Amino acid sequence: MNELPDKHFLPLDYTVHGAGEEVPDVRTVVHLHGGRTEEDSDGYPDAWFTRNFQTTGPFFKKESMNIVTFSPLVIYGITITQSE
């Protein structure tokens, strides 16, 4: 499971799109470059999740990625919120 913190260590700007007070401050999305993945595993910004998947975004589908690839992979987290 993931070990995201419960609280962000920096102040958040809630005026930025996606950083509203109605969503958790700490959440992430996993996105893969260099692979062929199912649409549900593509890592859309609103497919976020929190620590141990306690809360998920409106486009979150599943806890694991289905990856079929034969090229170098780059996996990273993305976010649409910003800290000041």
Side-chain angles (χ1 to χ4, degrees):
M1 290 293 167
N2 67 66
E3 295 183 16
L4 293 170
D6 293 321
K7 179 151 178 59
H8 204 285
F9 68 98
L10 294 173
L12 298 179
D13 180 358
Y14 293 106
T15 64
V16 176
H17 170 72
E21 295 186 42
E22 69 280 357
V23 294
D25 288 348
V26 179
R27 57 197 190 280
T28 192
V29 172
V30 177
H31 183 71
L32 171 72
H33 281 260
R36 290 181 285 155
T37 62
E38 298 178 327
E39 183 176 323
D40 290 350
S41 297
D42 199 29
Y44 297 108
D46 285 326
W48 52 264
F49 56 91
T50 62
R51 182 183 185 113
N52 296 323
F53 307 100
Q54 293 170 345
T55 308
T56 59
F59 291 99
F60 183 84
K61 301 282 185 179
K62 55 187 172 181
E63 294 181 11
S64 62
M65 295 176 72
N66 185 9
I67 302 169
V68 178
T69 188
F70 300 101
S71 62
L73 300 178
V74 177
I75 300 174
Y76 62 92
I78 60 174
T79 182
I80 57 174
T81 61
Q82 294 183 349
S83 297
E84 297 181 304

